[in-house]
Amino acid sequence: MNSSRPPRAGSRSKQLVAILSSLVLSVAGTGPAVRADVGPASGAAKVASMQDIVPVPVTAEPATGADHTITGDTAIYVQTGSAGVGDYLAALLRRSTGYPLPVRSATATPTDGISLLLTGADQTVGSQGYQLNVTPSTVVIRANQPAGLFAGVQTLRQLLPAAVESTTTQPGPWQIPGGRVVDYPRFAYRGAHLDVARHFFTVDEVKRYVDEIALYKINYLHLHLTDDQGWRIQINSWPRLATYGGELEVGGTPGGYYTQDQYKDIVAYAQSRHITVVPEIDMPGHTNAALASYAELNCNNVAPPRRTDIQVGYSSLCINKDITYKFVADVIREVAALTPGPYLHIGGDEASATPQKDYVTFLNKVLPMVQEQGKIAMGWHDIVDATLPTSAVPQYWQTGTSHAGVQAAARRGNKILMSPANKSYLDMKYNSSTRLGLSWAGYIEVQTAYEWNPGTHMTGVTESQVFGVEAPLWSETLLNIADIEYMAFPRLPAIAELAWSPQSTHNWNAFRQRLGAQGPRWQVMGVNFYRSSQVPWRTDNNNPGKCTEPEWDGTATYVGGDKVSYNDHTWTARWWTRGDAPGNNPQDVWTDNGPC
């Protein structure tokens, strides 16, 4: 999961870094960050395009002259089972349009407004897909389940102007391009992971991340709740885990924990966005916060000091003590009772301080405890060394493409969750100049995050044996939501497309254009995203201003006049170059100086 990571030199003041992270950066090769206080720009209400949807739909058929306009008279129609999605959509649209948008029961197929219907969907969409039809008179989303309607609403959001994301009333007009979309996911499990143990994030910060990942049809949030540096969930039967084990975080700054009511609030909020929370209690390693909180969990009955560095592999529960299994059973019981979702993640990675025989003994005792609480066990792929029930889900995290134990587990019937660190870890730096993150798994620019196939990535693991895809985000260097956003966007949408869209639609050049169209939306949302030079970001109003620099010429050599305009941006050649289009070279031959 975090193998071979060097310790971070020193620690930063949380207050100082929060100030610094709000600044617009313009370091060569990194691209500037976008300030979180950017508001909607004039002209942002331009009609979107069916060609800009992320993740790309299975089919999207535009219809010329069939645009639909939301007005002050528009109503939202729902059926039994779709009212929750209707209320969500109405709340989203009311704040930016200022329109009343009443939510009404549909007694038949409505002939006006926006309809969210759980009848008549295309038979191919399954339980999570949807069908969207836009005509001048109506917008109709059909699905078989509410989750499908919610996915369709996320597509509808992207078909509206970026200003629809504003929290204040905007002038409009609110046009939706006409046409038809039929869409359904490649994998049923599409996950984002957030480490709240290394650095603690507030309930509101987690909820904001939930809202952001929901836009890209992510439907699972894996919360890494415990680690060496902090225990972040209240356990009533072992209270010092949170009050003492959760007091600090990496760097020695104050940490925190979620009360059980706060955790339930996060879970319920995620459910309202059709996202299922997967709690992780990492064990038998990554347990120093627990060992420091209760001496009896240590083989020598001596509690170690709390740790706030980022070393790994040094801690272990005492495998041969009965109290260890009472502790584990209590924690699993309480966390399972708080979590309505089907999965409970037991970690299991980097247990270097646990002898292999003891490791297997421990897991073989713990896995049945998860089943006894009615949950399906997940764990980092290290758990394949134990005797796994076929329902258990190993999560592959290493950088290689072959692993004998994982292959054997797949042959036995276990589905594999794909999270290769050198492709999907959102905490890896974009390049050597990235101010946040680590690099033990390599640098991951947007193209690297996008250019892999979860269905064929591992030798001996076929697409039918892949459970889904998840993008982990570890927080050793991340202090606040702005840091989370900077590392997740734009790579999270890339991973989301791999998990949702058919492999046949996979095309980097098309994706980077669609991804660039998300920029204005993120600006309105206040997302602190990384402006990768690989992506042709659009200006706020999709209408670039006049560029004063000459157009890029692929036959020219840029040695003196090194500035050009290209893809609505200005660029500076960092060294001698010819024939290399700005933004296309992962070695950053060109520096993106921003929109024209």
Side-chain angles (χ1 to χ4, degrees):
M1 184 172 65
N2 296 296
S3 182
S4 304
R5 295 173 305 185
R8 188 167 57 131
S11 63
R12 296 176 290 178
S13 162
K14 201 160 191 173
Q15 182 179 10
L16 174 61
V17 175
I19 294 171
L20 291 176
S21 66
S22 71
L23 298 178
V24 176
L25 302 181
S26 57
V27 179
T30 65
V34 175
R35 290 180 59 100
D37 57 358
V38 175
S42 61
K46 185 176 179 179
V47 177
S49 167
M50 283 198 173
Q51 307 307 316
D52 291 340
I53 301 168
V54 176
V56 63
V58 175
T59 64
E61 301 169 354
T64 303
D67 293 357
H68 180 93
T69 301
I70 297 175
T71 70
D73 296 325
T74 298
I76 297 173
Y77 297 96
V78 298
Q79 295 176 326
T80 300
S82 66
V85 181
D87 290 341
Y88 167 87
L89 176 60
L92 178 76
L93 296 179
R94 285 170 186 156
R95 64 187 189 181
S96 55
T97 66
Y99 299 152
L101 293 160
V103 179
R104 298 172 178 163
S105 294
T107 55
T109 301
T111 57
D112 67 284
I114 302 171
S115 300
L116 305 175
L117 308 179
L118 289 170
T119 56
D122 188 291
Q123 63 180 358
T124 63
V125 303
S127 62
Q128 295 186 26
Y130 64 93
Q131 168 190 318
L132 169 65
N133 290 81
V134 180
T135 69
S137 58
T138 63
V139 175
V140 181
I141 302 176
R142 297 181 183 272
N144 295 317
Q145 298 292 333
L149 289 179
F150 188 81
V153 164
Q154 303 316 308
T155 293
L156 179 61
R157 284 175 70 181
Q158 292 190 35
L159 292 178
L160 281 159
V164 77
E165 308 294 344
S166 176
T167 57
T168 59
T169 303
Q170 302 298 308
W174 305 106
Q175 286 183 284
I176 306 166
R180 172 183 168 89
V181 174
V182 176
D183 201 12
Y184 48 86
R186 178 183 182 185
F187 296 109
Y189 187 107
R190 304 172 303 281
H193 156 290
L194 182 62
D195 172 14
V196 299
R198 270 49 176 272
H199 279 103
F200 179 69
F201 301 106
T202 67
V203 171
D204 286 343
E205 287 176 315
V206 176
K207 286 181 176 179
R208 178 173 170 87
Y209 195 48
V210 165
D211 281 329
E212 291 167 351
I213 65 178
L215 178 57
Y216 298 99
K217 302 182 176 68
I218 295 296
N219 63 344
Y220 285 89
L221 176 63
H222 171 179
L223 287 178
H224 185 76
L225 293 166
T226 69
D227 213 297
D228 292 313
Q229 299 84 0
W231 187 284
R232 306 302 179 200
I233 186 167
Q234 177 186 25
I235 302 296
N236 291 332
S237 54
W238 297 76
R240 274 175 59 85
L241 291 171
T243 58
Y244 184 74
E247 193 173 18
L248 302 175
E249 62 183 9
V250 166
T253 46
Y257 64 90
Y258 307 118
T259 66
Q260 293 197 357
D261 284 343
Q262 287 174 324
Y263 174 76
K264 288 191 290 185
D265 182 35
I266 290 172
V267 170
Y269 190 84
Q271 280 183 313
S272 73
R273 272 66 177 157
H274 291 268
I275 292 174
T276 299
V277 168
V278 178
E280 180 186 350
I281 306 297
D282 207 346
M283 50 188 164
H286 288 281
T287 49
N288 194 73
L291 298 173
S293 300
Y294 287 96
E296 58 266 41
L297 298 178
N298 298 272
C299 290
N300 61 2
N301 293 314
V302 176
R306 292 177 293 189
R307 295 275 294 257
T308 60
D309 58 6
I310 65 169
Q311 291 282 10
V312 298
Y314 57 85
S315 62
S316 177
L317 294 170
C318 190
I319 305 305
N320 298 317
K321 295 179 73 172
D322 290 341
I323 191 67
T324 294
Y325 299 99
K326 175 177 173 22
F327 162 75
V328 172
D330 287 342
V331 171
I332 288 176
R333 172 177 47 80
E334 291 197 34
V335 173
L338 297 169
T339 307
Y343 304 108
L344 195 151
H345 203 294
I346 59 172
D349 64 310
E350 296 175 329
S352 304
T354 310
Q356 182 64 13
K357 182 179 178 181
D358 287 350
Y359 177 84
V360 172
T361 297
F362 175 82
L363 285 185
N364 286 344
K365 289 184 177 181
V366 168
L367 286 164
M369 296 180 186
V370 177
Q371 290 182 301
E372 288 167 7
Q373 297 303 320
K375 301 300 181 185
I376 298 170
M378 302 181 79
W380 302 105
H381 73 258
D382 313 58
I383 68 171
V384 298
D385 292 336
T387 303
L388 295 182
T390 55
S391 60
V393 181
Q395 183 171 0
Y396 182 71
W397 62 270
Q398 286 180 337
T399 59
T401 57
S402 180
H403 189 285
V406 172
Q407 293 167 3
R411 288 194 299 271
R412 290 192 298 267
N414 295 95
K415 295 293 186 72
I416 311 301
L417 180 58
M418 297 302 298
S419 298
N422 57 337
K423 300 292 185 181
S424 68
Y425 269 36
L426 302 181
D427 56 301
M428 292 298 105
K429 292 176 178 287
Y430 292 96
N431 54 48
S432 61
S433 300
T434 307
R435 62 186 179 88
L436 298 170
L438 303 173
S439 59
W440 63 266
Y443 300 126
I444 304 179
E445 249 290 1
V446 186
Q447 186 172 2
T448 301
Y450 186 77
E451 289 283 48
W452 63 286
N453 182 352
T456 61
H457 184 75
M458 288 201 70
T459 303
V461 177
T462 65
E463 174 141 348
S464 64
Q465 295 169 319
V466 172
F467 186 69
V469 185
E470 184 172 286
L473 182 52
W474 302 97
S475 67
E476 287 93 337
T477 68
L478 312 184
L479 305 182
N480 50 46
I481 186 62
D483 289 350
I484 291 171
E485 291 170 344
Y486 187 79
M487 301 305 281
F489 294 92
R491 292 181 293 192
L492 188 279
I495 303 298
E497 178 151 311
L498 297 182
W500 177 278
S501 304
Q503 176 61 24
S504 60
T505 65
H506 189 85
N507 183 294
W508 162 246
N509 286 326
F511 173 71
R512 61 193 290 270
Q513 296 294 330
R514 287 183 287 104
L515 189 60
Q518 303 299 306
R521 190 168 305 273
W522 295 342
Q523 285 186 292
V524 176
M525 294 170 67
V527 174
N528 183 44
F529 69 100
Y530 163 70
R531 284 184 178 256
S532 169
S533 61
Q534 294 183 338
V535 178
W537 301 107
R538 299 188 187 176
T539 53
D540 293 350
N541 58 7
N542 292 340
N543 182 21
K546 182 179 179 181
C547 288
T548 58
E549 305 298 341
E551 288 288 338
W552 174 72
D553 178 359
T555 65
T557 300
Y558 297 98
V559 290
D562 58 352
K563 288 185 172 56
V564 300
S565 65
Y566 185 70
N567 278 348
D568 305 336
H569 278 219
T570 56
W571 301 78
T572 300
R574 298 182 66 198
W575 54 77
W576 181 94
T577 180
R578 176 187 289 158
D580 193 346
N584 284 348
N585 192 308
Q587 299 302 316
D588 292 323
V589 173
W590 294 91
T591 298
D592 184 0
N593 300 318
C596 294

